[in-house]
Amino acid sequence: MPLAGSFVKLEVLPKAIYNKQLAEVDFYETFFAGCTIWANELEKIVESAQRLASDFGINAIDALHVAAAISINSDELITTEKPGKPMHRVTQIKVISIYQ
């Protein structure tokens, strides 16, 4: 079941649109249209991200991604962040890098 957060959509879709990468835009729009669960509780997510950033030394957008995933009870978060990055210190969710 596809899960998503608005932060991911904001991070990937506008750049593809701006650069006129139509195949990529189509891929993202298709993916996001199929997502059945969205992390939408913004205030809760931001509060959680603040704690995560403080506890684990995570940068702002990564903390928001992690907090969003936690807020919808995801089992894992798949990221392009390399395994040595602070995001991987989080203990509340399994963080998996596509760079192994």
Side-chain angles (χ1 to χ4, degrees):
M1 163 185 334
L3 313 171
S6 296
F7 305 120
V8 174
K9 188 174 184 180
L10 178 62
E11 195 166 17
V12 298
L13 189 56
K15 187 173 182 179
I17 292 170
Y18 176 80
N19 290 313
K20 297 178 178 40
Q21 296 169 318
L22 301 181
E24 189 174 347
V25 170
D26 184 54
F27 169 81
Y28 291 139
E29 288 177 344
T30 301
F31 174 81
F32 290 122
C35 290
T36 56
I37 298 176
W38 285 83
N40 289 326
E41 296 181 43
L42 186 58
E43 188 172 323
K44 176 183 170 185
I45 292 167
V46 170
E47 288 176 15
S48 176
Q50 180 73 40
R51 284 190 305 276
L52 290 165
S54 298
D55 291 348
F56 298 102
I58 306 171
N59 69 44
I61 192 63
D62 288 348
L64 288 166
H65 287 310
V66 173
I70 291 169
S71 78
I72 56 175
N73 298 313
S74 295
D75 293 325
E76 57 191 28
L77 171 66
I78 299 172
T79 181
T80 59
E81 292 292 326
K82 294 181 180 173
K85 296 291 186 172
M87 176 189 275
H88 295 274
R89 297 179 193 147
V90 173
T91 56
Q92 293 92 327
I93 189 171
K94 183 177 183 178
V95 179
I96 300 171
S97 176
I98 63 170
Y99 299 107
Q100 298 295 328

